[in-house]
Amino acid sequence: MHKIAVIPGDGVGPEVTGAAWNVLEALEVDLDYDYAPAGEQCFQERGTTIPTETIELARKADATLFGAVTTVPGQKSAIITLRKELDLYANLRPIKSYPGIDSFYSDLNFLIVRENTEGLYSGMEYYTEEGAQAIRVITRKASRRICEFAFKQAIKFDFNLITAVHKANVLKKTDGIFKDVFYEVAQQHGHIKTEDLYVDAVAMFMVTQPQRFQVIVTTNLFGDILSDEGAGLVGGLGMVPSANIGDENALFEPVHGSAPDIASKGIANPTAMLLSSVLMLQHFGEDFEACRLEGAIRNVLKEGKVVTPDLGGQSSTREMAREVKNKIDS
Ligand code: ATP
């Protein structure tokens, strides 16, 4: 039995989490779930974007499925708070092509592993007399655990090349440490090939020859930018899942936001949320069920008949999710 905290959030969040949950019920995996509020509506009702009970429920759960939240200006971000509170240090973004999708490439399968807790997003940003400054924090501890995580992912998913991405020619100290730690960790995994590249070169290679990549591991800001570039390569926001993983907790969420422009219309593409559920199943070691679900999603996309308007179809979120459910055993 896996205990899941479900945080639907705002906008299309509840629509895609509801759809995903419906599909998950068709699998042979024992899931128990509790709902918890967060986001803008939660703020209006309870005066906080992320109640303590929500954090505690996520902490006690085996995993959290997170829809999307609308930002409330001046209030803390629910997702950033969860990442911090649960020490979800690894952000994982598979960049994978699926058939039937209008995208730049149809043959991509690589993984971006982004450090989630420090770098330029350490939260240390100050006004100065001249303007402002932000502090880029790179620790050996966080670099080591993200590199170790990347090697574990490579082993788990049978990748045999890991690319460390940095800018150590300019950021000599911070990225110097990141690069050194990467090669220290690499020594323990002699059978996996390694390389390191500058982030600007990687930004170009991701456009010109993305097939060369298998696992990319990088610091927070570079990972943030490269993973959106990756999303753009395989069909955009409605398609891309993500995982935030720590030693004790894990949270799975679509890359897209709450999409207020299409909320309540019932037309949000559920694929990113469904693929996030695939990542959750893989995290639990439920590889067979993860394959069944991913196969069903792939078939629905390939046929292209029952898909949402952003994919060129005319179906609703529910209809597309139902089609995935029907395909699970067909
Ligand atoms: P937020 O502030 O919550 O991030 P946003 O509108 O800035 O919201 P997204 O929610 O990611 O950012 O939406 C960006 C665009 O992508 C919007 O036009 C939205 O309709 C579209 N979009 C996002 N998610 C989906 C989805 N699941 N299905 C279809 N279109 C989507």
Side-chain angles (χ1 to χ4, degrees):
M1 161 84 80
H2 307 287
K3 273 184 75 67
I4 319 288
V6 182
I7 305 179
D10 305 307
V12 298
E15 300 167 38
V16 294
T17 25
W21 199 264
N22 234 320
V23 178
L24 282 168
E25 281 179 341
L27 296 171
E28 290 188 18
V29 52
D30 208 357
L31 303 175
D32 182 31
Y33 64 97
D34 265 321
Y35 280 102
E40 187 188 38
Q41 199 186 332
C42 173
F43 178 72
Q44 280 161 10
E45 286 164 8
R46 309 177 55 160
T48 171
T49 48
I50 176 105
T52 314
E53 307 93 84
T54 298
I55 299 171
E56 289 318 307
L57 192 76
R59 201 189 301 282
K60 285 187 199 127
D62 297 317
T64 297
L65 262 189
F66 188 95
V69 288
T70 304
T71 307
V72 182
Q75 296 299 314
K76 58 185 178 181
S77 150
I79 186 69
I80 292 175
T81 305
L82 281 167
R83 283 182 190 150
K84 274 198 183 136
E85 286 283 336
L86 307 181
D87 196 20
L88 304 174
Y89 60 85
N91 190 298
L92 194 64
R93 184 107 45 108
I95 305 300
K96 208 166 176 178
S97 306
Y98 286 92
I101 301 300
D102 183 17
S103 58
F104 293 114
Y105 291 96
S106 55
D107 55 350
L108 300 187
N109 183 17
F110 64 96
L111 209 55
I112 299 182
V113 177
R114 160 188 167 195
E115 204 290 322
N116 225 3
T117 64
E118 53 177 36
L120 253 182
Y121 296 171
S122 62
M124 285 185 259
E125 194 183 15
Y126 312 97
Y127 287 111
T128 62
E129 277 184 18
E130 294 78 25
Q133 62 184 26
I135 296 180
R136 185 169 194 259
V137 177
I138 298 290
T139 63
R140 286 180 212 284
K141 181 184 164 203
S143 300
R144 181 171 304 282
R145 68 182 182 176
I146 198 68
C147 290
E148 279 169 355
F149 181 85
F151 278 91
K152 278 191 197 140
Q153 291 293 310
I155 293 163
K156 184 168 172 187
F157 294 105
D158 265 340
F159 289 117
N160 60 20
L161 170 67
I162 307 197
T163 309
V165 178
H166 60 83
K167 190 72 183 167
N169 53 338
V170 178
L171 302 166
K172 292 191 173 67
K173 297 188 174 70
T174 49
D175 268 355
I177 286 177
F178 182 75
K179 185 177 152 189
D180 288 350
V181 170
F182 170 72
Y183 282 114
E184 279 165 31
V185 173
Q187 280 179 359
Q188 294 150 28
H189 301 278
H191 58 294
I192 297 179
K193 280 188 250 160
T194 51
E195 63 175 358
D196 67 280
L197 293 174
Y198 296 135
V199 63
D200 41 355
V202 171
M204 185 189 69
F205 288 144
M206 273 179 62
V207 174
T208 56
Q209 36 174 309
Q211 298 86 350
R212 77 187 294 296
F213 294 115
Q214 297 194 27
V215 176
I216 285 176
V217 61
T218 189
T219 52
N220 208 338
L221 172 69
F222 297 159
D224 192 8
I225 297 169
L226 293 179
S227 48
D228 270 25
E229 188 183 347
L233 295 176
V234 292
L237 286 175
M239 290 298 302
V240 186
S242 77
N244 295 268
I245 298 184
D247 289 334
E248 306 293 333
N249 290 101
L251 180 150
F252 302 85
E253 56 167 340
V255 164
H256 62 76
S258 62
D261 54 334
I262 57 163
S264 309
K265 294 185 181 161
I267 54 165
N269 181 353
T271 307
M273 190 78 232
L274 286 166
L275 290 173
S276 302
S277 309
V278 170
L279 296 181
M280 181 180 79
L281 293 168
Q282 287 168 342
H283 176 74
F284 289 150
E286 301 277 5
D287 293 342
F288 184 71
E289 297 304 309
C291 263
R292 280 176 83 201
L293 176 54
E294 192 183 10
I297 300 166
R298 181 178 285 112
N299 284 340
V300 171
L301 294 171
K302 191 173 171 186
E303 282 183 10
K305 287 190 208 137
V306 188
V307 293
T308 47
D310 60 304
L311 298 178
Q314 292 178 338
S315 304
S316 67
T317 312
R318 275 192 199 173
E319 286 162 342
M320 185 170 171
R322 199 179 311 129
E323 185 68 3
V324 172
K325 197 170 179 174
N326 293 340
K327 285 269 186 297
I328 282 176
D329 283 319
S330 66

